Structure formats: structure tokens, C-alpha cells
Amino acid sequence: ASCGRDPHPSPPPPAHAANTGADFLELDPSGEYDCCLLNGASQFFADQSCLVGAAAAAVRSGGRVVIAHAQGAAFVAGEHRGNPAVARSCLPTPALLESL
């Protein structure tokens, strides 16, 4: 049995990930990524339209933008109501996503 490693003799190279420490909205929208994952992060951006637009610009044509939160949208909405200085917005709604 194997634990914590791929037993395949020639595994694929690791996926490229970017974590520059820069402000996400200030990154060059290169369109070079297959996927942009915003996990437990989008509520910290006040302008969801701007955030989703920046994420979409970062992925190649046919790429995916994934927006998630482990506790879900209702939890984030409660955090936003309780402390809007920290949780600056709710998760983007399907209507907002479709409008972009």
C-alpha cells in the first residue's frame, strides 16, 4: 500500500500554481491558467463583479473559475451581516455570475 505518494512509475508533472502574495486584483490578467480557485476568499473583496472579472481574465478560454466556501453562502451572509468590515460582501449570486 502507498501512503502520500503516487505509485505510478512516471506521474505527471505537478500542476502550476501561482501565489505571488500580491493583491489579486492587481495581477496581470494573462489568461494562462486552466482554473482559478477562490476558496473561502471572495467575501473579503467588496466588489464581487470586479473579483469575478479578474478571475475570468486569469483563465484561458474554456478555463474555469471556482468560487467556494466550506460553510456555504448562508454562513458567509451571516458573517457579512455581523462584521462587514471583515467579510466585505456575500458570495456572488448565480444572477450576478450570469450577468457577467
Side-chain angles (χ1 to χ4, degrees):
S2 154
C3 181
R5 67 179 185 87
D6 187 343
H8 191 278
S10 57
H16 174 72
N19 183 354
T20 65
D23 184 325
F24 180 77
L25 299 177
E26 294 177 1
L27 296 176
D28 180 30
S30 60
E32 68 179 277
Y33 299 102
D34 295 327
C35 180
C36 179
L37 171 64
L38 300 167
N39 185 24
S42 68
Q43 71 271 20
F44 301 116
F45 292 83
D47 186 340
Q48 292 293 300
S49 296
C50 184
L51 173 65
V52 173
V59 298
R60 65 174 171 73
S61 177
R64 300 283 187 251
V65 174
V66 178
I67 301 171
H69 193 286
Q71 281 83 23
F75 173 84
V76 174
E79 290 291 300
H80 176 62
R81 282 189 305 273
N83 192 354
V86 174
R88 299 178 68 199
S89 65
C90 296
L91 295 181
T93 64
L96 171 67
L97 296 174
E98 289 176 15
S99 75
L100 301 173

